[in-house]
Structure formats: structure tokens, C-alpha cells
mmCIF file of all heavy atoms in Angstrom:
data_model
loop_
_atom_site.group_PDB
_atom_site.id
_atom_site.type_symbol
_atom_site.label_atom_id
_atom_site.label_comp_id
_atom_site.label_asym_id
_atom_site.label_seq_id
_atom_site.Cartn_x
_atom_site.Cartn_y
_atom_site.Cartn_z
ATOM 1 N N GLN A 1 -23.620 -13.647 3.563
ATOM 2 C CA GLN A 1 -24.189 -12.309 3.461
ATOM 3 C C GLN A 1 -24.125 -11.855 1.999
ATOM 4 O O GLN A 1 -23.092 -11.967 1.350
ATOM 5 C CB GLN A 1 -23.398 -11.335 4.332
ATOM 6 C CG GLN A 1 -23.967 -9.936 4.347
ATOM 7 C CD GLN A 1 -23.192 -9.014 5.283
ATOM 8 O OE1 GLN A 1 -22.242 -9.446 5.943
ATOM 9 N NE2 GLN A 1 -23.574 -7.766 5.332
ATOM 10 N N VAL A 2 -25.244 -11.359 1.516
ATOM 11 C CA VAL A 2 -25.306 -10.907 0.127
ATOM 12 C C VAL A 2 -24.878 -9.442 0.051
ATOM 13 O O VAL A 2 -25.346 -8.614 0.821
ATOM 14 C CB VAL A 2 -26.729 -11.061 -0.431
ATOM 15 C CG1 VAL A 2 -26.805 -10.523 -1.850
ATOM 16 C CG2 VAL A 2 -27.168 -12.524 -0.388
ATOM 17 N N GLN A 3 -23.980 -9.161 -0.884
ATOM 18 C CA GLN A 3 -23.538 -7.780 -1.098
ATOM 19 C C GLN A 3 -23.606 -7.441 -2.578
ATOM 20 O O GLN A 3 -23.326 -8.294 -3.422
ATOM 21 C CB GLN A 3 -22.109 -7.587 -0.588
ATOM 22 C CG GLN A 3 -21.991 -7.659 0.930
ATOM 23 C CD GLN A 3 -20.602 -7.309 1.428
ATOM 24 O OE1 GLN A 3 -19.608 -7.663 0.811
ATOM 25 N NE2 GLN A 3 -20.542 -6.584 2.540
ATOM 26 N N LEU A 4 -23.974 -6.198 -2.850
ATOM 27 C CA LEU A 4 -24.044 -5.704 -4.211
ATOM 28 C C LEU A 4 -23.146 -4.476 -4.309
ATOM 29 O O LEU A 4 -23.226 -3.579 -3.453
ATOM 30 C CB LEU A 4 -25.461 -5.299 -4.589
ATOM 31 C CG LEU A 4 -26.482 -6.399 -4.900
ATOM 32 C CD1 LEU A 4 -26.844 -7.184 -3.640
ATOM 33 C CD2 LEU A 4 -27.728 -5.820 -5.527
ATOM 34 N N VAL A 5 -22.328 -4.429 -5.339
ATOM 35 C CA VAL A 5 -21.434 -3.297 -5.534
ATOM 36 C C VAL A 5 -21.598 -2.775 -6.954
ATOM 37 O O VAL A 5 -21.302 -3.488 -7.924
ATOM 38 C CB VAL A 5 -19.965 -3.686 -5.283
ATOM 39 C CG1 VAL A 5 -19.063 -2.474 -5.535
ATOM 40 C CG2 VAL A 5 -19.782 -4.192 -3.861
ATOM 41 N N GLU A 6 -22.080 -1.539 -7.065
ATOM 42 C CA GLU A 6 -22.243 -0.912 -8.379
ATOM 43 C C GLU A 6 -20.970 -0.176 -8.776
ATOM 44 O O GLU A 6 -20.226 0.322 -7.925
ATOM 45 C CB GLU A 6 -23.394 0.102 -8.374
ATOM 46 C CG GLU A 6 -24.754 -0.467 -8.040
ATOM 47 C CD GLU A 6 -25.156 -0.188 -6.614
ATOM 48 O OE1 GLU A 6 -24.241 -0.030 -5.760
ATOM 49 O OE2 GLU A 6 -26.364 -0.131 -6.321
ATOM 50 N N SER A 7 -20.752 -0.080 -10.062
ATOM 51 C CA SER A 7 -19.636 0.688 -10.597
ATOM 52 C C SER A 7 -19.977 1.123 -12.010
ATOM 53 O O SER A 7 -20.956 0.655 -12.596
ATOM 54 C CB SER A 7 -18.342 -0.130 -10.582
ATOM 55 O OG SER A 7 -18.483 -1.284 -11.389
ATOM 56 N N GLY A 8 -19.157 2.031 -12.543
ATOM 57 C CA GLY A 8 -19.330 2.447 -13.924
ATOM 58 C C GLY A 8 -19.960 3.808 -14.115
ATOM 59 O O GLY A 8 -20.073 4.283 -15.251
ATOM 60 N N GLY A 9 -20.390 4.422 -13.032
ATOM 61 C CA GLY A 9 -20.969 5.751 -13.163
ATOM 62 C C GLY A 9 -19.912 6.789 -13.491
ATOM 63 O O GLY A 9 -18.715 6.512 -13.499
ATOM 64 N N GLY A 10 -20.371 7.997 -13.791
ATOM 65 C CA GLY A 10 -19.440 9.060 -14.114
ATOM 66 C C GLY A 10 -20.135 10.217 -14.787
ATOM 67 O O GLY A 10 -21.371 10.308 -14.783
ATOM 68 N N LEU A 11 -19.322 11.092 -15.349
ATOM 69 C CA LEU A 11 -19.813 12.274 -16.064
ATOM 70 C C LEU A 11 -19.711 12.014 -17.555
ATOM 71 O O LEU A 11 -18.652 11.607 -18.049
ATOM 72 C CB LEU A 11 -18.976 13.488 -15.672
ATOM 73 C CG LEU A 11 -19.247 14.791 -16.425
ATOM 74 C CD1 LEU A 11 -20.666 15.278 -16.151
ATOM 75 C CD2 LEU A 11 -18.229 15.854 -16.016
ATOM 76 N N VAL A 12 -20.800 12.271 -18.279
ATOM 77 C CA VAL A 12 -20.816 12.041 -19.718
ATOM 78 C C VAL A 12 -21.642 13.143 -20.365
ATOM 79 O O VAL A 12 -22.571 13.689 -19.743
ATOM 80 C CB VAL A 12 -21.393 10.641 -20.037
ATOM 81 C CG1 VAL A 12 -22.839 10.525 -19.596
ATOM 82 C CG2 VAL A 12 -21.236 10.288 -21.492
ATOM 83 N N GLN A 13 -21.323 13.462 -21.587
ATOM 84 C CA GLN A 13 -22.100 14.459 -22.324
ATOM 85 C C GLN A 13 -23.389 13.849 -22.851
ATOM 86 O O GLN A 13 -23.467 12.634 -23.092
ATOM 87 C CB GLN A 13 -21.277 15.005 -23.488
ATOM 88 C CG GLN A 13 -20.141 15.931 -23.059
ATOM 89 C CD GLN A 13 -19.493 16.623 -24.238
ATOM 90 O OE1 GLN A 13 -19.480 16.089 -25.355
ATOM 91 N NE2 GLN A 13 -18.947 17.801 -24.015
ATOM 92 N N ALA A 14 -24.373 14.683 -23.046
ATOM 93 C CA ALA A 14 -25.638 14.226 -23.636
ATOM 94 C C ALA A 14 -25.362 13.531 -24.961
ATOM 95 O O ALA A 14 -24.532 13.983 -25.760
ATOM 96 C CB ALA A 14 -26.573 15.410 -23.830
ATOM 97 N N GLY A 15 -26.053 12.416 -25.172
ATOM 98 C CA GLY A 15 -25.844 11.617 -26.366
ATOM 99 C C GLY A 15 -24.829 10.509 -26.177
ATOM 100 O O GLY A 15 -24.707 9.629 -27.043
ATOM 101 N N GLY A 16 -24.094 10.560 -25.083
ATOM 102 C CA GLY A 16 -23.070 9.562 -24.823
ATOM 103 C C GLY A 16 -23.621 8.290 -24.198
ATOM 104 O O GLY A 16 -24.838 8.135 -24.038
ATOM 105 N N SER A 17 -22.704 7.399 -23.840
ATOM 106 C CA SER A 17 -23.073 6.089 -23.299
ATOM 107 C C SER A 17 -22.263 5.785 -22.043
ATOM 108 O O SER A 17 -21.132 6.277 -21.883
ATOM 109 C CB SER A 17 -22.805 4.987 -24.330
ATOM 110 O OG SER A 17 -23.587 5.163 -25.491
ATOM 111 N N LEU A 18 -22.850 4.990 -21.198
ATOM 112 C CA LEU A 18 -22.171 4.429 -20.029
ATOM 113 C C LEU A 18 -22.681 3.010 -19.824
ATOM 114 O O LEU A 18 -23.827 2.689 -20.188
ATOM 115 C CB LEU A 18 -22.463 5.247 -18.768
ATOM 116 C CG LEU A 18 -21.747 6.581 -18.561
ATOM 117 C CD1 LEU A 18 -22.306 7.271 -17.312
ATOM 118 C CD2 LEU A 18 -20.254 6.382 -18.419
ATOM 119 N N ARG A 19 -21.841 2.184 -19.235
ATOM 120 C CA ARG A 19 -22.293 0.860 -18.821
ATOM 121 C C ARG A 19 -22.061 0.709 -17.330
ATOM 122 O O ARG A 19 -20.923 0.781 -16.855
ATOM 123 C CB ARG A 19 -21.565 -0.258 -19.571
ATOM 124 C CG ARG A 19 -22.190 -1.620 -19.304
ATOM 125 C CD ARG A 19 -21.544 -2.742 -20.063
ATOM 126 N NE ARG A 19 -20.288 -3.174 -19.478
ATOM 127 C CZ ARG A 19 -19.762 -4.395 -19.644
ATOM 128 N NH1 ARG A 19 -20.395 -5.273 -20.394
ATOM 129 N NH2 ARG A 19 -18.599 -4.696 -19.099
ATOM 130 N N LEU A 20 -23.148 0.491 -16.616
ATOM 131 C CA LEU A 20 -23.070 0.262 -15.179
ATOM 132 C C LEU A 20 -22.966 -1.235 -14.912
ATOM 133 O O LEU A 20 -23.553 -2.044 -15.633
ATOM 134 C CB LEU A 20 -24.297 0.818 -14.470
ATOM 135 C CG LEU A 20 -24.618 2.294 -14.720
ATOM 136 C CD1 LEU A 20 -25.835 2.698 -13.877
ATOM 137 C CD2 LEU A 20 -23.436 3.182 -14.421
ATOM 138 N N SER A 21 -22.225 -1.571 -13.875
ATOM 139 C CA SER A 21 -22.091 -2.964 -13.443
ATOM 140 C C SER A 21 -22.555 -3.090 -12.002
ATOM 141 O O SER A 21 -22.374 -2.169 -11.206
ATOM 142 C CB SER A 21 -20.631 -3.413 -13.531
ATOM 143 O OG SER A 21 -20.140 -3.315 -14.849
ATOM 144 N N CYS A 22 -23.129 -4.239 -11.702
ATOM 145 C CA CYS A 22 -23.535 -4.559 -10.332
ATOM 146 C C CYS A 22 -23.027 -5.958 -10.032
ATOM 147 O O CYS A 22 -23.582 -6.941 -10.530
ATOM 148 C CB CYS A 22 -25.039 -4.479 -10.193
ATOM 149 S SG CYS A 22 -25.669 -4.994 -8.578
ATOM 150 N N ALA A 23 -21.960 -6.027 -9.260
ATOM 151 C CA ALA A 23 -21.371 -7.313 -8.881
ATOM 152 C C ALA A 23 -22.011 -7.807 -7.595
ATOM 153 O O ALA A 23 -22.045 -7.080 -6.590
ATOM 154 C CB ALA A 23 -19.865 -7.165 -8.706
ATOM 155 N N VAL A 24 -22.511 -9.029 -7.630
ATOM 156 C CA VAL A 24 -23.204 -9.621 -6.487
ATOM 157 C C VAL A 24 -22.327 -10.707 -5.869
ATOM 158 O O VAL A 24 -21.756 -11.531 -6.589
ATOM 159 C CB VAL A 24 -24.556 -10.218 -6.913
ATOM 160 C CG1 VAL A 24 -25.275 -10.819 -5.709
ATOM 161 C CG2 VAL A 24 -25.423 -9.149 -7.563
ATOM 162 N N SER A 25 -22.225 -10.707 -4.565
ATOM 163 C CA SER A 25 -21.513 -11.766 -3.855
ATOM 164 C C SER A 25 -22.419 -12.337 -2.782
ATOM 165 O O SER A 25 -23.303 -11.654 -2.272
ATOM 166 C CB SER A 25 -20.219 -11.231 -3.239
ATOM 167 O OG SER A 25 -20.503 -10.212 -2.309
ATOM 168 N N GLY A 26 -22.196 -13.597 -2.461
ATOM 169 C CA GLY A 26 -22.944 -14.234 -1.397
ATOM 170 C C GLY A 26 -24.104 -15.088 -1.866
ATOM 171 O O GLY A 26 -24.633 -15.875 -1.071
ATOM 172 N N ARG A 27 -24.519 -14.938 -3.109
ATOM 173 C CA ARG A 27 -25.610 -15.740 -3.653
ATOM 174 C C ARG A 27 -25.607 -15.580 -5.161
ATOM 175 O O ARG A 27 -25.341 -14.511 -5.681
ATOM 176 C CB ARG A 27 -26.952 -15.298 -3.079
ATOM 177 C CG ARG A 27 -28.118 -16.218 -3.405
ATOM 178 C CD ARG A 27 -29.324 -15.942 -2.544
ATOM 179 N NE ARG A 27 -30.488 -16.713 -2.910
ATOM 180 C CZ ARG A 27 -30.741 -17.940 -2.515
ATOM 181 N NH1 ARG A 27 -29.892 -18.551 -1.732
ATOM 182 N NH2 ARG A 27 -31.833 -18.566 -2.898
ATOM 183 N N SER A 28 -25.961 -16.665 -5.848
ATOM 184 C CA SER A 28 -25.973 -16.615 -7.304
ATOM 185 C C SER A 28 -27.153 -15.789 -7.801
ATOM 186 O O SER A 28 -28.278 -15.930 -7.324
ATOM 187 C CB SER A 28 -26.070 -18.023 -7.878
ATOM 188 O OG SER A 28 -26.284 -17.960 -9.282
ATOM 189 N N ILE A 29 -26.898 -14.971 -8.801
ATOM 190 C CA ILE A 29 -27.982 -14.158 -9.369
ATOM 191 C C ILE A 29 -28.978 -15.012 -10.134
ATOM 192 O O ILE A 29 -30.064 -14.562 -10.483
ATOM 193 C CB ILE A 29 -27.440 -13.029 -10.274
ATOM 194 C CG1 ILE A 29 -26.699 -13.587 -11.481
ATOM 195 C CG2 ILE A 29 -26.570 -12.067 -9.472
ATOM 196 C CD1 ILE A 29 -26.302 -12.518 -12.491
ATOM 197 N N ARG A 30 -28.616 -16.272 -10.382
ATOM 198 C CA ARG A 30 -29.554 -17.177 -11.049
ATOM 199 C C ARG A 30 -30.833 -17.355 -10.221
ATOM 200 O O ARG A 30 -31.882 -17.685 -10.763
ATOM 201 C CB ARG A 30 -28.922 -18.551 -11.245
ATOM 202 C CG ARG A 30 -27.814 -18.619 -12.262
ATOM 203 C CD ARG A 30 -27.354 -20.056 -12.423
ATOM 204 N NE ARG A 30 -26.313 -20.200 -13.436
ATOM 205 C CZ ARG A 30 -25.020 -20.114 -13.180
ATOM 206 N NH1 ARG A 30 -24.607 -19.887 -11.951
ATOM 207 N NH2 ARG A 30 -24.141 -20.261 -14.146
ATOM 208 N N PHE A 31 -30.716 -17.128 -8.927
ATOM 209 C CA PHE A 31 -31.825 -17.418 -8.028
ATOM 210 C C PHE A 31 -32.684 -16.200 -7.716
ATOM 211 O O PHE A 31 -33.543 -16.265 -6.831
ATOM 212 C CB PHE A 31 -31.298 -18.002 -6.731
ATOM 213 C CG PHE A 31 -30.479 -19.250 -6.905
ATOM 214 C CD1 PHE A 31 -29.233 -19.370 -6.315
ATOM 215 C CD2 PHE A 31 -30.944 -20.297 -7.682
ATOM 216 C CE1 PHE A 31 -28.468 -20.516 -6.480
ATOM 217 C CE2 PHE A 31 -30.196 -21.453 -7.853
ATOM 218 C CZ PHE A 31 -28.951 -21.550 -7.256
ATOM 219 N N GLY A 32 -32.456 -15.102 -8.398
ATOM 220 C CA GLY A 32 -33.226 -13.923 -8.052
ATOM 221 C C GLY A 32 -33.464 -12.976 -9.214
ATOM 222 O O GLY A 32 -32.803 -13.047 -10.251
ATOM 223 N N ALA A 33 -34.430 -12.111 -9.019
ATOM 224 C CA ALA A 33 -34.675 -11.033 -9.969
ATOM 225 C C ALA A 33 -33.707 -9.893 -9.689
ATOM 226 O O ALA A 33 -33.310 -9.674 -8.540
ATOM 227 C CB ALA A 33 -36.110 -10.540 -9.839
ATOM 228 N N MET A 34 -33.333 -9.190 -10.740
ATOM 229 C CA MET A 34 -32.397 -8.070 -10.604
ATOM 230 C C MET A 34 -33.037 -6.822 -11.159
ATOM 231 O O MET A 34 -33.754 -6.863 -12.159
ATOM 232 C CB MET A 34 -31.104 -8.350 -11.365
ATOM 233 C CG MET A 34 -30.335 -9.562 -10.899
ATOM 234 S SD MET A 34 -29.646 -9.394 -9.236
ATOM 235 C CE MET A 34 -28.684 -7.907 -9.366
ATOM 236 N N GLY A 35 -32.740 -5.707 -10.532
ATOM 237 C CA GLY A 35 -33.286 -4.450 -11.011
ATOM 238 C C GLY A 35 -32.280 -3.324 -10.910
ATOM 239 O O GLY A 35 -31.341 -3.381 -10.108
ATOM 240 N N TRP A 36 -32.485 -2.329 -11.767
ATOM 241 C CA TRP A 36 -31.760 -1.073 -11.672
ATOM 242 C C TRP A 36 -32.783 0.028 -11.381
ATOM 243 O O TRP A 36 -33.852 0.083 -12.031
ATOM 244 C CB TRP A 36 -31.026 -0.754 -12.977
ATOM 245 C CG TRP A 36 -29.771 -1.526 -13.167
ATOM 246 C CD1 TRP A 36 -29.597 -2.658 -13.902
ATOM 247 C CD2 TRP A 36 -28.488 -1.221 -12.602
ATOM 248 N NE1 TRP A 36 -28.290 -3.072 -13.838
ATOM 249 C CE2 TRP A 36 -27.580 -2.209 -13.057
ATOM 250 C CE3 TRP A 36 -28.002 -0.203 -11.776
ATOM 251 C CZ2 TRP A 36 -26.237 -2.208 -12.691
ATOM 252 C CZ3 TRP A 36 -26.667 -0.202 -11.430
ATOM 253 C CH2 TRP A 36 -25.798 -1.199 -11.877
ATOM 254 N N HIS A 37 -32.445 0.875 -10.457
ATOM 255 C CA HIS A 37 -33.313 1.978 -10.054
ATOM 256 C C HIS A 37 -32.470 3.252 -10.062
ATOM 257 O O HIS A 37 -31.235 3.177 -10.056
ATOM 258 C CB HIS A 37 -33.860 1.756 -8.651
ATOM 259 C CG HIS A 37 -34.552 0.444 -8.465
ATOM 260 N ND1 HIS A 37 -35.910 0.322 -8.319
ATOM 261 C CD2 HIS A 37 -34.062 -0.829 -8.436
ATOM 262 C CE1 HIS A 37 -36.232 -0.959 -8.188
ATOM 263 N NE2 HIS A 37 -35.126 -1.670 -8.260
ATOM 264 N N ARG A 38 -33.140 4.378 -10.029
ATOM 265 C CA ARG A 38 -32.397 5.628 -9.934
ATOM 266 C C ARG A 38 -33.165 6.635 -9.093
ATOM 267 O O ARG A 38 -34.382 6.565 -8.979
ATOM 268 C CB ARG A 38 -32.108 6.208 -11.322
ATOM 269 C CG ARG A 38 -33.345 6.681 -12.089
ATOM 270 C CD ARG A 38 -32.953 7.090 -13.506
ATOM 271 N NE ARG A 38 -34.104 7.562 -14.275
ATOM 272 C CZ ARG A 38 -34.059 7.824 -15.573
ATOM 273 N NH1 ARG A 38 -32.930 7.662 -16.258
ATOM 274 N NH2 ARG A 38 -35.136 8.254 -16.194
ATOM 275 N N GLN A 39 -32.398 7.552 -8.524
ATOM 276 C CA GLN A 39 -32.995 8.608 -7.725
ATOM 277 C C GLN A 39 -32.285 9.913 -8.025
ATOM 278 O O GLN A 39 -31.080 10.040 -7.776
ATOM 279 C CB GLN A 39 -32.915 8.291 -6.231
ATOM 280 C CG GLN A 39 -33.661 9.287 -5.367
ATOM 281 C CD GLN A 39 -33.876 8.787 -3.957
ATOM 282 O OE1 GLN A 39 -33.187 7.897 -3.477
ATOM 283 N NE2 GLN A 39 -34.849 9.357 -3.264
ATOM 284 N N ALA A 40 -33.049 10.841 -8.565
ATOM 285 C CA ALA A 40 -32.524 12.175 -8.843
ATOM 286 C C ALA A 40 -32.776 13.065 -7.629
ATOM 287 O O ALA A 40 -33.685 12.788 -6.838
ATOM 288 C CB ALA A 40 -33.189 12.748 -10.088
ATOM 289 N N PRO A 41 -32.013 14.140 -7.477
ATOM 290 C CA PRO A 41 -32.212 15.040 -6.336
ATOM 291 C C PRO A 41 -33.644 15.544 -6.262
ATOM 292 O O PRO A 41 -34.210 16.005 -7.259
ATOM 293 C CB PRO A 41 -31.235 16.178 -6.617
ATOM 294 C CG PRO A 41 -30.168 15.568 -7.454
ATOM 295 C CD PRO A 41 -30.875 14.553 -8.306
ATOM 296 N N GLY A 42 -34.247 15.419 -5.086
ATOM 297 C CA GLY A 42 -35.598 15.907 -4.880
ATOM 298 C C GLY A 42 -36.690 15.039 -5.452
ATOM 299 O O GLY A 42 -37.864 15.412 -5.407
ATOM 300 N N LYS A 43 -36.313 13.883 -5.985
ATOM 301 C CA LYS A 43 -37.311 13.003 -6.584
ATOM 302 C C LYS A 43 -37.305 11.649 -5.897
ATOM 303 O O LYS A 43 -36.331 11.284 -5.240
ATOM 304 C CB LYS A 43 -37.046 12.830 -8.079
ATOM 305 C CG LYS A 43 -37.223 14.107 -8.884
ATOM 306 C CD LYS A 43 -37.127 13.827 -10.371
ATOM 307 C CE LYS A 43 -37.380 15.086 -11.185
ATOM 308 N NZ LYS A 43 -37.315 14.803 -12.653
ATOM 309 N N GLN A 44 -38.380 10.907 -6.098
ATOM 310 C CA GLN A 44 -38.458 9.562 -5.536
ATOM 311 C C GLN A 44 -37.633 8.591 -6.380
ATOM 312 O O GLN A 44 -37.426 8.800 -7.573
ATOM 313 C CB GLN A 44 -39.918 9.104 -5.490
ATOM 314 C CG GLN A 44 -40.761 9.820 -4.460
ATOM 315 C CD GLN A 44 -42.126 9.188 -4.286
ATOM 316 O OE1 GLN A 44 -42.660 8.604 -5.214
ATOM 317 N NE2 GLN A 44 -42.681 9.291 -3.093
ATOM 318 N N ARG A 45 -37.199 7.545 -5.732
ATOM 319 C CA ARG A 45 -36.490 6.497 -6.449
ATOM 320 C C ARG A 45 -37.452 5.827 -7.413
ATOM 321 O O ARG A 45 -38.601 5.555 -7.060
ATOM 322 C CB ARG A 45 -35.918 5.480 -5.469
ATOM 323 C CG ARG A 45 -34.978 4.469 -6.084
ATOM 324 C CD ARG A 45 -34.334 3.597 -5.022
ATOM 325 N NE ARG A 45 -33.500 4.367 -4.100
ATOM 326 C CZ ARG A 45 -32.699 3.800 -3.202
ATOM 327 N NH1 ARG A 45 -32.627 2.475 -3.105
ATOM 328 N NH2 ARG A 45 -31.987 4.556 -2.397
ATOM 329 N N GLU A 46 -36.982 5.539 -8.624
ATOM 330 C CA GLU A 46 -37.841 4.913 -9.632
ATOM 331 C C GLU A 46 -37.148 3.703 -10.245
ATOM 332 O O GLU A 46 -35.918 3.673 -10.369
ATOM 333 C CB GLU A 46 -38.196 5.909 -10.737
ATOM 334 C CG GLU A 46 -37.016 6.447 -11.527
ATOM 335 C CD GLU A 46 -37.441 7.291 -12.717
ATOM 336 O OE1 GLU A 46 -38.639 7.288 -13.075
ATOM 337 O OE2 GLU A 46 -36.552 7.941 -13.305
ATOM 338 N N LEU A 47 -37.960 2.741 -10.648
ATOM 339 C CA LEU A 47 -37.433 1.563 -11.328
ATOM 340 C C LEU A 47 -37.075 1.934 -12.755
ATOM 341 O O LEU A 47 -37.876 2.530 -13.466
ATOM 342 C CB LEU A 47 -38.475 0.440 -11.320
ATOM 343 C CG LEU A 47 -38.099 -0.817 -12.084
ATOM 344 C CD1 LEU A 47 -36.934 -1.536 -11.422
ATOM 345 C CD2 LEU A 47 -39.312 -1.745 -12.190
ATOM 346 N N VAL A 48 -35.889 1.558 -13.167
ATOM 347 C CA VAL A 48 -35.418 1.832 -14.528
ATOM 348 C C VAL A 48 -35.520 0.582 -15.393
ATOM 349 O O VAL A 48 -36.017 0.626 -16.515
ATOM 350 C CB VAL A 48 -33.961 2.334 -14.496
ATOM 351 C CG1 VAL A 48 -33.404 2.469 -15.911
ATOM 352 C CG2 VAL A 48 -33.871 3.653 -13.746
#
């Protein structure tokens, strides 16, 4: 079974930086495309 676990989010001031991680288990990421998406309140999910 493939599982993805994101981490690294948080609260930051404008101008700052964050690094998000997505750990995948169950299959090597070599065999697939990877994407990051986001969804703000009241908006559709978008590809980042």
C-alpha cells in the first residue's frame, strides 16, 4: 500500500521560507511523477 506523509508546514512571516517534505512508502518515487498542490479556504485545489 502506498502512503504519503507531508510535513514541514507552519506559521511564517511574509518574506520567510519553509521546506515541505513528502515521505512516500510502499513504492519507489523513481517510478512515478510527483506533485505539490495547495488549497486555500474557499478556493479550488491548484497545482503548485
